[in-house]
Amino acid sequence: VPSSAVTFNGTALAVTSTAAGELRATLPAALLATAPAGNAATVVVRNPAPGGGSASSVFGVASRVSTLSADVQPLFAAQCASSGCHRTGSSTTPTLEEGVAYEALVGVPSTACAPRLLVRACDPTRAGSVLIDKVLATPQSPACSGSPMPKGAPLTAAERQALVDWVAQGAPR
């Protein structure tokens, strides 16, 4: 609705209507720079009466560019798709080998942590993407299902951040 209102972490944004059922909001760089820690901000759209109502979503905020080919797939190859884990023919799913990892993760419903997705593009929170939940889990804050990943040594802070940033950017190919 053209008179809908949009907020980014509680701050009103300038809104324009570009087509039926579509809104565009302008997000000033200064507001983006003040996004909260955790790589996610809440975006809320409020529609006026008589229909009313609102919907909220997570807006991923990356700290740096992270790509599947340069940053994420090498982590999967070194830490996840080896030694019988997350490989084709393994009983451990999803398969995280090059060429199939994207389709196995992005937008795929989790069977163990339903109704969540394995990777929800633009939602780098533990509650939004099972992959993020698994790599950020600790004994004090366990994952939704099973053990933290990867098995063995945990990822470094920079490696975890690369995954978070990739998801925050919309998990692009």
Side-chain angles (χ1 to χ4, degrees):
V1 177
S3 57
S4 294
V6 177
T7 60
F8 178 87
N9 270 352
T11 301
L13 300 178
V15 177
T16 59
S17 179
T18 58
E22 180 180 318
L23 291 176
R24 290 195 185 222
T26 302
L27 179 61
L31 186 57
L32 184 59
T34 63
N39 297 90
T42 302
V43 176
V44 177
V45 176
R46 286 190 172 74
N47 294 316
S54 65
S56 65
S57 187
V58 172
F59 181 89
V61 182
S63 58
R64 69 177 187 86
V65 173
S66 183
T67 67
L68 179 63
S69 61
D71 304 292
V72 175
Q73 196 61 57
L75 287 176
F76 291 161
Q79 303 288 338
C80 309
S82 59
S83 304
C85 289
H86 297 288
R87 296 182 62 85
T88 302
S90 164
S91 62
T92 308
T93 58
T95 300
L96 298 179
E97 293 173 299
E98 188 170 357
V100 296
Y102 184 89
E103 288 79 10
L105 286 172
V106 180
V108 175
S110 169
T111 55
C113 300
R116 293 169 29 186
L117 300 178
L118 296 178
V119 169
R120 179 179 304 278
C122 298
D123 190 346
T125 64
R126 287 188 62 186
S129 295
V130 174
L131 172 71
I132 301 304
D133 186 34
K134 297 288 274 184
V135 299
L136 297 182
T138 65
Q140 298 77 24
S141 179
C144 62
S145 175
S147 305
M149 292 291 159
K151 292 181 179 178
L155 298 176
T156 67
E159 291 169 332
R160 289 189 305 270
Q161 190 63 50
L163 289 171
V164 167
D165 286 340
W166 175 66
V167 174
Q169 293 170 96
R173 288 183 187 268

